Amino acid sequence: MSAGSRRRRSGDDEDPENSDLENSDLEKDDLENFVEVDLDEEPDVDRRRSRTPQRRRPQGLNLSMPSIDVRATVSTVREGFSTLLSRPLASFHMILSLTVILTALGLIMVLSASSVEGYAKDGSAYGMFATQATFATLGFILFYLTLKVPVRLFRRFATVGIGLSILLLTLVLVPGIGVMVNGARRWFSIAGLSVQPSELVKVALCVWGAHLLASRRNVGVYGKELLMPLVPVSIVVCVLIILEPNQSTTMIIALIVAALLWFAGLPGRVFAGFILVFLAAGVALALMSDYRSARVFSFLGRADDPLGSGYQAMQAQFALANGGVFGVGLGQSTAKWNYLPNAHNDFIFAIIGEELGLIGALIVVGLFVILGAVGMRIARRSLDPFFRLLAATITVLFLVQAFINIGYVVGLLPVTGIQLPILSNGGTSMLTMLTMLGLLATAARHEPDAIRALTGPQPNGLSRFLRLPTPVAYRPPRAEVLRDRLERKRPAGGRSAGRRPAPVRVPRARGTGRGSAPVRTGAVRSGEIHYPGRQPRPRRVGQRSSWTQDDAYPRSTRGRQSWRSEGEYRRR
């Protein structure tokens, strides 16, 4: 029953003056908000009418946009990424995801970009795609094997690998063994598949160089300990590759050596000298060949030859302009119809920009940026100097190759012929890049947090599904530990003058928790940083003052870590 009917029934017992005021207010309310109710009707009719919708005043449309707190949104996204990255196997899972995404995208774009040329040559639009898919399958097998092989085997056979790769580079120059294509002798033909040894030497040099420099401790003023024998062997490799000839791969080999020396701690002035020599050699090699010098002059604007040396660069820019923001659609490119040479190889980024537009091109760039960030995160968190050097070098290799390729496609650099990693057509390149990503994933599984997560009684997730071995915590050799102790006792003036950071001594915080023992005023802990990175731990009460990397993990049995108690785990 409505409020008006209840007031009317109780009106006989109230004051007449008040009832008149209430009746007037009630009539106004009945007209605006309530439904009139007849008291003579049955009670069930009153109850049914009281449930009818009320009449309300019509309201206008609210077209104002809701306010968005940008700061709160950014904070939420940042906290989400922090939570994701705090997981112990976050780096490993991100490397796996990026590998699958880049490989799938590369196969799709190779199929789209090579369909026209493949049909014109072999009568099949799927010929190049089938070859690329075969090498991708072999690459994933090598990716899996790198996760299964123990670390000690990588280092044990590193010297054998670089020796075999130099032997292959020599054999490919022999007429009758190496296959010559377009005036260059770079390939072997094995069972109908072309194998390029200059691509295989990239992996061998990364592994051998990281193994060689990981054991080098003292870096003098000129870094002689780091240069021998890495630089002489690299010069031999570069000479063999130049004889093919292949200038772009020579640049990549020099880049690998430079990254290894930089992360190993080569003094800055010596490294700057190597950069100057590298640039001078690059300019000399570019001017020694007619077509290379024509490309450089065309880039500098001194040669106006749109149908000659500047043809590829101009057609690539036309393809990017045709794609616009959203692209013309997958498979709908017009540049691949013999307008843009090597559209499926060196200039596949132009096809990506035309078919997927600016959005697709930015997604590709973002994937490589994320790969670079994850790779550097793995290198920074690795305790093993071998994995630290290897992860950093592989990451720099991916980023520089992608930057050079995208740079000359969009017109920021002269055309060099360096492929876009994973995405460009090239069987041996796909094979080596997936192997390098497997090495990067192996380094991610050897992060300290990942080791603690995988040394439980029963590993779960991908490690259990793939039947991967349990990673072993890094323990430095005994001789290296003794050298660390001698370096701590040695005066500051007797240390080497390389780029390695000087020791920093930070006062130790006083104990404030319950049960904490008093700490002397002069008690300090060593914050000394020795490359490759060691992470010193705060000294517990009653523990010996000299810290070694053996203290980074508890004593274990059968290579697996085990905490004695929950209290010890929290203290550590």
Side-chain angles (χ1 to χ4, degrees):
M1 184 178 296
S2 65
S5 59
R6 286 198 302 269
R7 292 180 180 177
R8 289 176 184 177
R9 289 187 177 183
S10 60
D12 297 335
D13 299 333
E14 297 177 354
D15 189 25
E17 295 179 358
N18 294 334
S19 63
D20 293 336
L21 294 175
E22 291 176 0
N23 289 336
S24 61
D25 294 336
L26 181 62
E27 292 175 358
K28 185 182 299 183
D29 293 337
D30 287 340
L31 291 175
E32 293 180 357
N33 300 324
F34 297 100
V35 180
E36 294 183 359
V37 178
D38 191 358
L39 298 177
D40 296 335
E41 293 181 355
E42 296 296 331
D44 58 341
V45 177
D46 289 351
R47 194 177 299 110
R48 185 172 61 254
R49 290 194 176 184
S50 64
R51 292 195 298 268
T52 57
Q54 301 176 357
R55 293 175 296 178
R56 298 184 181 275
R57 293 179 181 179
Q59 298 180 357
L61 295 177
N62 185 13
L63 299 179
S64 60
M65 297 294 294
S67 60
I68 299 176
D69 192 351
V70 178
R71 183 177 300 177
T73 303
V74 173
S75 177
T76 304
V77 173
R78 184 181 301 173
E79 291 178 0
F81 277 108
S82 300
T83 304
L84 176 64
L85 294 177
S86 64
R87 299 175 65 88
L89 294 174
S91 302
F92 175 66
H93 291 157
M94 292 183 72
I95 291 296
L96 287 181
S97 302
L98 289 172
T99 302
V100 173
I101 293 173
L102 287 174
T103 305
L105 180 61
L107 290 176
I108 293 173
M109 296 312 302
V110 166
L111 174 61
S112 175
S114 65
S115 57
V116 175
E117 185 174 351
Y119 185 81
K121 288 183 177 180
D122 305 326
S124 174
Y126 302 96
M128 296 184 183
F129 167 75
T131 303
Q132 188 76 354
T134 302
F135 276 101
T137 304
L138 295 176
F140 273 112
I141 293 175
L142 291 178
F143 183 95
Y144 177 71
L145 291 179
T146 53
L147 294 175
K148 297 280 289 185
V149 174
V151 182
R152 62 181 183 275
L153 293 182
F154 284 121
R155 307 189 65 171
R156 182 178 301 176
F157 294 100
T159 305
V160 178
I162 191 67
L164 289 176
S165 57
I166 293 176
L167 178 61
L168 293 176
L169 287 176
T170 305
L171 292 177
V172 78
L173 298 175
V174 178
I177 299 179
V179 178
M180 180 174 289
V181 178
N182 296 329
R185 197 181 298 274
R186 306 175 186 175
W187 295 270
F188 291 114
S189 182
I190 302 176
L193 299 178
S194 298
V195 179
Q196 191 172 357
S198 59
E199 293 289 335
L200 300 177
V201 77
K202 296 178 182 179
V203 182
L205 187 59
C206 287
V207 177
W208 179 70
H211 163 68
L212 186 68
L213 298 179
S215 58
R216 303 296 172 91
R217 300 296 311 274
N218 296 324
V219 181
V221 178
Y222 299 103
K224 296 179 181 179
E225 296 81 1
L226 301 178
L227 302 180
M228 301 296 292
L230 177 62
V231 173
V233 172
S234 304
I235 292 176
V236 172
V237 171
C238 290
V239 169
L240 292 174
I241 296 176
I242 290 174
L243 294 176
E244 294 182 355
N246 192 349
Q247 183 187 359
S248 59
T249 306
T250 306
M251 296 172 57
I252 296 301
I253 297 300
L255 172 67
I256 292 173
V257 177
L260 286 170
L261 293 176
W262 173 259
F263 291 110
L266 186 70
R269 52 184 176 179
V270 180
F271 190 82
F274 271 99
I275 293 297
L276 294 178
V277 173
F278 171 73
L279 292 178
V283 172
L285 290 175
L287 297 178
M288 286 173 58
S289 179
D290 294 336
Y291 74 93
R292 294 184 193 135
S293 59
R295 287 178 176 179
V296 174
F297 290 141
S298 176
F299 170 74
L300 296 176
R302 296 186 177 182
D304 188 10
D305 189 8
L307 298 180
S309 59
Y311 179 75
Q312 280 183 303
M314 184 174 294
Q315 291 296 324
Q317 295 179 20
F318 288 162
L320 292 174
N322 187 35
V325 178
F326 300 101
V328 298
L330 189 63
Q332 303 300 319
S333 170
T334 57
K336 65 184 179 183
W337 290 82
N338 295 327
Y339 289 102
L340 178 60
N342 289 328
H344 58 286
N345 195 350
D346 298 343
F347 288 87
I348 196 169
F349 187 77
I351 305 301
I352 294 175
E354 184 180 9
E355 294 186 351
L356 304 182
L358 177 64
I359 296 177
L362 292 179
I363 289 175
V364 171
V365 174
L367 290 175
F368 282 106
V369 171
I370 295 174
L371 178 61
V374 175
M376 288 302 176
R377 180 177 187 264
I378 295 171
R380 188 175 59 251
R381 292 163 62 93
S382 297
L383 291 179
D384 192 341
F386 170 72
F387 278 131
R388 168 169 289 198
L389 284 170
L390 186 64
T393 304
I394 290 175
T395 303
V396 170
L397 177 63
F398 269 89
L399 289 182
V400 174
Q401 280 198 219
F403 171 75
I404 294 176
N405 181 273
I406 295 174
Y408 70 70
V409 169
V410 300
L412 297 178
L413 296 173
V415 178
T416 58
I418 294 178
Q419 297 178 342
L420 189 61
I422 303 294
L423 300 180
S424 293
N425 182 51
T428 313
S429 176
M430 173 71 77
L431 201 67
T432 56
M433 291 301 169
L434 287 178
T435 304
M436 289 184 181
L437 289 175
L439 293 172
L440 202 59
T442 303
R445 295 185 73 246
H446 284 79
E447 293 181 358
D449 293 341
I451 292 175
R452 284 192 288 269
L454 294 173
T455 51
Q458 185 67 35
N460 297 322
L462 288 175
S463 297
R464 182 180 179 182
F465 175 75
L466 298 176
R467 298 182 180 274
L468 298 179
T470 303
V472 181
Y474 170 70
R475 291 184 179 276
R478 184 177 298 274
E480 192 171 337
V481 175
L482 292 177
R483 279 187 302 215
D484 282 342
R485 294 180 181 178
L486 291 176
E487 287 182 2
R488 292 192 187 93
K489 295 179 181 179
R490 188 182 306 169
R495 295 183 184 273
S496 59
R499 282 195 306 107
R500 185 178 292 110
V504 179
R505 301 185 67 84
V506 182
R508 185 184 178 188
R510 295 177 176 269
T512 56
R514 184 175 60 182
S516 59
V519 182
R520 295 180 300 173
T521 305
V524 295
R525 70 179 179 87
S526 175
E528 182 176 355
I529 302 174
H530 291 283
Y531 190 86
R534 290 174 172 78
Q535 300 177 359
R537 302 171 53 83
R539 191 157 42 96
R540 298 197 306 270
V541 176
Q543 189 182 7
R544 62 182 184 276
S545 58
S546 61
W547 178 88
T548 63
Q549 283 193 351
D550 293 330
D551 301 328
Y553 300 98
R555 296 188 180 276
S556 58
T557 58
R558 297 183 182 180
R560 294 192 177 185
Q561 302 174 15
S562 59
W563 304 99
R564 294 190 182 93
S565 63
E566 182 67 18
E568 181 181 357
Y569 175 78
R570 293 178 179 176
R571 288 196 301 272
R572 290 176 180 265

